[in-house]
């Protein structure tokens, strides 16, 4: 206890999950959470009471009292809690040290402000991964990181920050013991992490966490693997909503079209150009130009009928071409917006600290007020507008943009569902609830379809509602390079469905070579979008350079051929939290040479992507992780792991490798432009040299409806068994409740493979709850 009645609380939630709270005032400064879910996999709109422990199993544990400490032990963890000066030493149940609070400086707090701190020891064998989407290399050791949602136009992907998202979560990987654990701080006020940059002569090396307000409320998540940490963190904050299959296609975007005086005609021409150049496209992002008023300002939900004389007709044109539409929406209304007074009267805006007047901030050309998504009237107004202004016209999806909630007065008041909250406590929660409102509007308008929504800003929990991207990046080779570890970081932070603006949003147009290499990298991101805003009115477009159009087309076609593989990974992510993008240490933790690899990565278990990140490079060295052979996807050459290999990289492709034992399902390039049917499944096999086995689950459903949630899907479990003399493949269909669009599955072996191939089909029969035999 301190002079302010401070309290420390330790809860054993699971065998590998312990929660620690430091309440400087003796009670919680924010009594609710929107990021830690209940048993439904979500939270109530008004948030979940932080004292509610019912979502957890609360296993038994052993407790031993000592003169100056208490030892707490679960089956997996041992905590030595020092009671004189509250601090904790963390070990595995087997006695391996994990981490320890800094003696003499564990949980200080500011007497003159609401700021709180947490200090931990810092060891040289520790590597730090995660923090959502922040700049720089993959391992953040030695860095100082600010988390504060800002609109960071043209940010520096190598050194810039703060950026759009706020993820106060990271994984520590101990290279000596090959053990991982995560720490999640459930506090979304402005945050600074120091990961060994700060030095102090009076203390050993340390790392620290600072939050501008709130309490220390963290969850210690023991792996012991990185994969296990991610699984448990996504159980804590919720799993990704399964998006429609088509969302894995090329998602086109550019501000150029909607800003044009003849925007609707320009968009119709875009469809024609896609068809003309054989570029399949699954969705087009309708930028905010459709809301431009005569004064040059943007008025969310208000159509400019001069630029768009027939919005419903425009939607019909896109749908006839097999392309969906996502409309840009922003959470602030300018004071000149036609609905400003209506929302103000209903109490739907965030209010000033000392009055009921809306809190005004600069927003896109003028002063505006932000919708308060902790106000039922704000939520209701928003959902009504999404439906009447967009969905009723046939718009398919919502694109939640400019939603960083840059309201600079921390004391501005939010309704808090009847219990007023300071803006400084919950900025990212406003963003999270905006996504939820937009998604629910889509669900209510089309209850049989999977909603698909997009958001730029966010925090843990956003994966439950949206896909995301890394914001308004800058056109350069450096951005292409450093967007990769940004994607790996957010993938390990529980948000598996994200990507980057291919070609660069701000800055100059990419030159032909940079554009090709960016597209070749981008097709392996969960979200593949070519997007831009250029001062001269030009746009990043697949056909912008005729001399490299064949390479661009080939890359996009490969993306579509990989749909069966990528969709199966999406399903896996929705069920387990496993990311699609996987750093090499995630898959190969026993190889010390790949621990900090920032730029080569795995997409799922079967493909290593080695991007070209420098101009003029047509050959590059690639280190392949040890412990297995690797197959060069393009040359069909076998290469030994644990070595650097000089690898060709002509402009036609970037190097791809399949690890020994992997399986890679592929299909046709399916799109209305080419009329190809989804009637092909090729399983590319990468067999063991001698003896071994592996498996992959190929998941099939209709890709659009909610029927999968009611059990209408087919999972094909593929088992690969290899000996020195034979290759055996066994297929198990369980369940088989969705009629497959293909009659055959083809198996493709590497060139030169001479072992006989035997395919066995195993079926299982079961009876469902209605008595129907399957």
């Amino acid at each position: 206890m301190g002079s302010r009645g401070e309290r420390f609380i330790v809860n054993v939630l699971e065998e590998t999950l312990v929660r620690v709270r430091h309440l400087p005032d003796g009670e919680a400064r924010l009594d609710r959470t929107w990021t830690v879910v209940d048993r439904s996999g979500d939270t109530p709109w008004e948030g979940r009471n932080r004292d509610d422990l019912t979502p957890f199993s609360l296993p038994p544990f052993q407790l031993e009292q000592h003169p100056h400490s208490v030892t707490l032990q679960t089956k997996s963890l041992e905590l030595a809690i020092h009671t004189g000066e509250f601090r904790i030493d963390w070990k595995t149940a087997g006695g391996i040290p994990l981490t320890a609070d800094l003696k003499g400086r564990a949980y200080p707090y500011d007497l003159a402000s609401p700021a709180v701190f947490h200090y931990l020891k810092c060891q040289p064998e520790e590597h730090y991964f995660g923090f959502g989407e922040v700049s720089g290399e993959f391992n953040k050791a030695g860095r100082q990181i600010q988390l504060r949602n800002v609109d960071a136009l043209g940010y520096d992907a190598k050194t810039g920050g703060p950026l759009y998202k706020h993820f106060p979560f990271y994984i520590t990987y101990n290279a000596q013991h090959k053990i991982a654990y995560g720490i999640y701080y459930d506090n979304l006020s402005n945050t600074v992490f120091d990961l060994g940059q700060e030095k102090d002569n009076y203390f050993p090396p340390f790392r620290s966490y600072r939050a501008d307000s709130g309490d220390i409320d963290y969850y210690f998540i023991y792996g012991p693997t990185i994969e296990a940490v991610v699984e448990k963190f996504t159980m804590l904050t919720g799993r990704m909503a399964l998006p429609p299959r088509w969302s894995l296609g090329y998602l086109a975007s550019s501000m150029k079209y909607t800003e044009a005086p003849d925007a609707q005609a320009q968009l119709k021409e875009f469809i024609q150009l896609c068809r003309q150049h054989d570029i399949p496209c699954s969705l087009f992002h309708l930028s905010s130009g459709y809301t431009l008023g005569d004064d040059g300002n943007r008025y969310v939900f208000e159509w400019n009928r001069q630029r768009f004389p027939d919005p419903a007709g425009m939607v019909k044109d896109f749908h006839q071409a097999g392309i969906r539409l996502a409309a840009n929406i922003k959470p602030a209304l300018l004071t000149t917006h036609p609905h400003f007074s209506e929302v103000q009267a209903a109490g739907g805006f965030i209010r000033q600290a000392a009055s009921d007047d809306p809190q005004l901030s600069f927003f896109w050309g003028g002063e505006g007020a932000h919708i308060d998504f902790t106000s039922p009237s704000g939520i209701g107004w928003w959902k009504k507008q999404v439906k009447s202004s967009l969905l009723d016209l046939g718009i398919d999806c919502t694109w939640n943009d400019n939603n960083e909630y840059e309201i600079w007065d921390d004391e501005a008041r939010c309704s808090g569902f009847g219990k007023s909250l300071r803006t400084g406590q919950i900025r990212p929660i406003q963003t999270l609830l905006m996504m939820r409102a937009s998604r629910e509007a889509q669900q209510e308008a089309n209850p049989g379809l999977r909603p698909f929504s997009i958001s730029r800003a966010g925090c843990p929990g956003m994966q439950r509602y949206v896909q995301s991207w890394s914001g308004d990046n800058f056109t350069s080779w450096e951005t292409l390079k450093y967007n990769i570890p940004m994607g790996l970081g957010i993938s390990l932070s529980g948000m598996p469905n994200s990507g980057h603006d291919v070609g660069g949003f701000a800055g100059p147009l990419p030159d032909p070579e940079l554009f090709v290499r960016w597209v070749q990298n981008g097709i392996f991101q969960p979200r593949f979008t070519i997007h831009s805003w250029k001062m001269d009115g030009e746009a990043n477009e697949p056909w912008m350079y005729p001399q490299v159009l064949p390479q661009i087309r080939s890359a996009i076609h490969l993306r579509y051929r990989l749909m069966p593989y990528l969709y199966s990974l999406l399903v896996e992510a929705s069920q387990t939290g496993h990311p699609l993008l996987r750093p090499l240490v995630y898959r190969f933790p026993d190889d010390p040479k790949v621990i900090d690899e920032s730029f080569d990565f795995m997409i799922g278990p079967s493909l290593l992507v080695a991007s070209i990140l420098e101009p003029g490079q047509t050959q590059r060295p690639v280190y392949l992780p040890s412990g297995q052979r690797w197959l060069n996807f393009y040359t069909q050459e076998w290469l030994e792991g644990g070595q650097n290999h000089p690898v060709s990289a002509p402009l036609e492709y970037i190097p791809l490798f399949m690890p020994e034992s992997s399986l890679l399902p592929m299909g046709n390039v399916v799109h209305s432009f080419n009329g190809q049917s989804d009637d092909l499944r090729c399983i590319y096999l990468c067999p063991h040299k001698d003896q071994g086995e592996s498996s992959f689950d190929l998941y099939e459903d209709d890709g659009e409806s909610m029927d999968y949630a009611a059990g209408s899907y087919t999972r094909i479990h593929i088992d690969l068994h290899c000996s020195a003399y034979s290759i055996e493949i066994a297929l198990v269909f369980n369940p088989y409740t969705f009629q497959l669009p293909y009659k055959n599955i083809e198996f493709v072996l590497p060139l030169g493979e001479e072992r006989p191939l035997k395919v066995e089909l195993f079926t299982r029969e079961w009876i469902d709850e209605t008595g129907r035999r399957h």
Side-chain angles (χ1 to χ4, degrees):
M1 299 287 267
S3 59
R4 290 163 58 169
E6 63 181 309
R7 286 197 300 156
F8 293 92
I9 305 167
V10 178
N11 296 113
V12 176
L13 304 178
E14 307 290 351
E15 300 289 356
T16 57
L17 179 65
V18 176
R19 181 184 181 195
V20 178
R21 302 174 74 184
H22 172 218
L23 311 180
D25 301 333
E27 59 182 29
R29 292 168 172 174
L30 179 61
D31 62 357
R32 286 168 280 173
T33 177
W34 284 265
T35 63
V36 176
V37 300
D38 57 28
R39 292 186 184 276
S40 73
D42 208 335
T43 70
W45 266 97
E46 64 274 13
R48 190 175 65 76
N49 190 310
R50 285 178 183 259
D51 291 330
D52 176 17
L53 303 182
T54 57
F56 307 101
S57 68
L58 307 179
F61 55 87
Q62 295 178 344
L63 201 65
E64 292 185 11
Q65 298 275 356
H66 308 286
H68 303 291
S69 67
V70 174
T71 300
L72 186 159
Q73 189 160 5
T74 75
K75 291 181 180 179
S76 301
L77 290 169
E78 180 181 305
L79 286 65
I81 304 171
H82 302 270
T83 53
E85 171 216 353
F86 185 86
R87 58 185 175 85
I88 303 175
D89 297 338
W90 300 81
K91 296 180 181 180
T92 69
I96 299 174
L98 294 172
T99 189
D101 291 334
L102 189 64
K103 185 177 181 180
R105 201 179 185 179
Y107 299 93
Y109 56 91
D110 196 326
L111 293 173
S113 79
V116 290
F117 304 80
H118 181 208
Y119 286 82
L120 289 161
K121 290 182 179 178
C122 190
Q123 304 294 342
E125 65 270 17
E126 291 175 338
H127 306 251
Y128 308 123
F129 312 133
F131 304 97
E133 219 165 45
V134 296
S135 64
E137 297 195 1
F138 178 53
N139 179 14
K140 307 304 182 189
R143 287 279 308 278
Q144 190 176 91
I145 295 169
Q146 289 188 63
L147 298 181
R148 175 166 49 88
N149 304 58
V150 298
D151 186 344
L153 173 67
Y155 63 85
D156 186 322
K158 184 177 181 180
T159 62
L163 299 177
Y164 304 87
K165 296 180 177 67
H166 190 129
F167 276 74
F169 166 77
Y170 69 105
I171 297 171
T172 299
Y173 182 71
N174 185 305
Q176 178 182 350
H177 298 292
K178 297 183 175 63
I179 288 178
Y181 63 88
I183 298 179
Y184 171 52
Y185 295 90
D186 189 7
N187 181 333
L188 294 175
S189 62
N190 293 342
T191 294
V192 176
F193 283 97
D194 189 296
L195 302 161
Q197 186 179 94
E198 182 182 350
K199 308 294 181 186
D200 189 322
N201 180 58
Y202 296 100
F203 295 94
F206 59 84
R207 49 188 155 130
S208 66
Y209 161 85
R210 171 202 164 114
D212 281 358
S213 65
D215 302 308
I216 297 295
D217 186 352
Y218 70 87
Y219 295 79
F220 188 97
I221 308 165
Y222 175 60
T225 65
I226 295 173
E227 180 177 86
V229 173
V230 175
E231 287 178 359
K232 294 167 187 177
F233 180 57
T234 55
M235 279 293 291
L236 189 70
T237 60
R239 295 269 161 80
M240 180 196 78
L242 182 62
R245 186 185 183 104
W246 55 257
S247 67
L248 287 166
Y250 163 42
L251 311 182
S253 187
S254 175
M255 290 184 67
K256 167 187 173 182
Y257 304 103
T258 57
E259 305 288 313
D262 59 341
Q264 188 165 339
Q266 293 258 0
L267 289 169
K268 192 167 187 176
E269 184 181 3
F270 173 84
I271 299 171
Q272 294 166 350
L273 288 168
C274 284
R275 183 178 286 110
Q276 174 186 332
H277 295 298
D278 190 18
I279 300 294
C281 179
S282 297
L283 176 136
F284 188 88
H285 293 77
L286 195 67
S287 292
S288 59
Y290 79 95
T291 68
L292 271 173
D294 294 337
D295 58 2
N297 290 326
R298 293 162 204 268
Y299 298 101
V300 63
F301 300 125
E302 296 294 305
W303 285 87
N304 183 312
R305 294 289 178 158
Q306 292 179 316
R307 288 182 165 85
F308 294 87
D310 181 15
M314 176 200 67
V315 172
K316 184 178 179 181
D317 289 338
F318 274 92
H319 285 178
Q320 286 179 340
I323 304 173
R324 282 83 175 174
L325 281 167
N328 185 284
I329 47 179
K330 307 180 190 300
L333 273 59
L334 297 177
T335 56
T336 50
H337 193 288
H339 290 284
F340 188 90
S341 297
E342 172 192 343
V343 178
Q344 180 180 2
F349 288 128
I350 294 176
R351 293 166 292 167
Q352 294 179 13
S355 78
D356 286 337
D357 293 334
Q359 175 68 43
L360 300 181
S361 308
F362 184 77
F363 191 85
W364 272 76
E367 280 195 322
H370 282 76
I371 300 293
D372 182 359
F373 286 98
T374 69
S375 161
S377 59
I379 296 167
W381 182 85
W382 183 264
K383 290 170 70 171
K384 179 181 176 182
Q385 296 303 314
V386 169
K387 293 174 186 176
S388 62
S389 298
L390 301 175
L391 304 181
D392 287 353
L393 293 173
I395 298 291
D396 304 276
C397 314
T398 53
W399 173 15
N400 300 266
D401 198 11
N402 299 96
N403 53 351
E404 289 74 31
Y405 272 74
E406 289 190 77
I407 299 169
W408 294 108
D409 185 356
D410 284 353
E411 302 303 318
R413 290 181 299 136
C414 306
S415 169
F417 299 96
K419 187 176 180 180
S420 182
L421 297 170
R422 297 169 52 249
T423 293
Q425 293 176 297
I426 63 160
R427 277 189 187 87
I429 296 303
Q430 290 284 357
T431 302
L432 190 69
L433 297 180
M434 176 195 179
M435 306 170 204
R436 183 171 185 170
S438 299
R439 180 179 176 85
E440 283 192 6
Q442 294 174 230
Q443 289 173 311
E444 292 164 7
N446 298 291
L449 293 179
R450 293 177 217 177
F452 179 66
S453 197
I454 308 144
S455 178
R456 185 171 73 178
C459 63
M462 68 184 299
Q463 69 276 4
R464 307 192 300 252
Y465 310 127
V466 297
Q467 182 190 75
S468 189
W469 83 105
S470 60
D472 297 341
N473 58 3
F474 188 83
T475 299
S476 69
W477 284 93
E478 185 175 87
T479 299
L480 164 59
K481 182 175 183 177
Y482 283 94
N483 271 168
I484 295 173
M486 288 176 69
L488 296 175
I490 198 166
S491 293
L492 291 191
S493 301
M495 178 61 194
N497 196 356
S498 190
H500 317 285
D501 281 350
V502 170
F505 179 80
L509 284 173
D511 62 46
E513 183 188 10
L514 174 56
F515 188 52
V516 168
R517 295 310 196 186
W518 215 321
V519 170
Q520 289 171 342
N521 167 275
I523 65 168
F524 296 105
Q525 304 295 323
R527 170 180 166 88
F528 171 50
T529 298
I530 299 173
H531 186 36
S532 62
W533 169 74
K534 305 300 181 185
M535 293 291 290
D536 58 6
E538 292 300 317
N540 296 337
E541 298 169 317
W543 45 81
M544 62 194 286
Y545 297 119
Q547 66 270 35
V548 295
L549 178 57
Q551 289 88 341
I552 299 294
R553 182 189 299 114
S554 175
I556 295 175
H557 282 196
L558 177 58
R559 169 73 172 206
Y560 278 80
R561 291 188 61 212
L562 285 167
M563 284 273 202
Y565 177 62
L566 298 175
Y567 186 65
S568 297
L569 297 180
L570 276 183
V571 173
E572 180 185 348
S574 72
Q575 295 175 347
T576 65
H578 296 167
L580 282 74
L581 290 186
R582 302 173 184 180
L584 297 186
V585 66
Y586 179 100
R587 173 76 190 276
F588 307 104
D590 292 331
D591 188 338
K593 292 185 178 179
V594 304
I595 291 176
D596 292 339
E597 174 57 49
S598 296
F599 309 114
D600 292 347
F601 60 90
M602 299 293 294
I603 177 76
S606 301
L607 275 179
L608 187 153
V609 180
S611 299
I612 298 301
L613 305 173
E614 299 176 9
Q617 193 173 38
T618 56
Q619 185 184 73
R620 57 153 290 189
V622 177
Y623 177 81
L624 298 173
S626 61
Q628 59 277 306
R629 298 183 305 157
W630 294 80
L631 182 70
N632 187 315
F633 182 79
Y634 287 106
T635 68
Q636 295 287 285
E637 178 186 7
W638 284 102
L639 300 171
E640 291 296 325
Q643 302 177 27
N644 274 294
H645 297 273
V647 178
S648 294
L651 196 60
E652 284 68 32
Y653 60 81
I654 59 174
L656 303 176
F657 302 90
M658 293 179 64
E660 188 174 39
S661 82
S662 56
L663 302 99
L664 181 67
M666 298 180 72
N668 285 325
V669 180
V670 180
H671 197 274
S672 61
F673 291 160
N674 59 26
Q676 286 218 50
S677 299
D678 190 21
D679 58 359
L680 173 70
R681 288 296 178 271
C682 285
I683 313 295
Y684 286 77
L685 305 178
C686 198
H688 292 268
K689 182 179 181 181
D690 295 311
Q691 187 157 352
E693 58 185 43
S694 58
S695 64
F696 186 85
D697 283 343
L698 176 61
Y699 185 99
E700 305 281 11
D701 60 27
D702 66 23
E704 291 191 49
S705 78
M706 294 299 298
D707 291 353
Y708 78 94
S712 180
Y713 64 91
T714 293
R715 178 182 288 111
I716 308 172
H717 182 76
I718 309 169
D719 273 319
L720 176 65
H721 299 268
C722 299
S723 72
Y725 308 103
S726 67
I727 298 171
E728 296 186 4
I729 302 166
L731 304 181
V732 177
F733 296 74
N734 186 16
Y736 193 151
T737 55
F738 170 74
Q739 185 63 47
L740 298 176
Y742 47 88
K743 295 182 179 180
N744 301 297
I745 297 178
E746 300 178 13
F747 296 94
V748 181
L749 288 168
L751 294 177
E753 180 62 61
E754 297 179 352
R755 283 176 289 182
L757 175 65
K758 177 184 179 183
V759 178
E760 294 188 60
L761 176 62
F762 294 92
T763 60
R764 292 182 181 175
E765 183 178 82
W766 70 99
I767 299 174
D768 65 21
E769 63 275 8
T770 68
R772 182 182 175 189
R773 188 176 297 276
H774 297 274

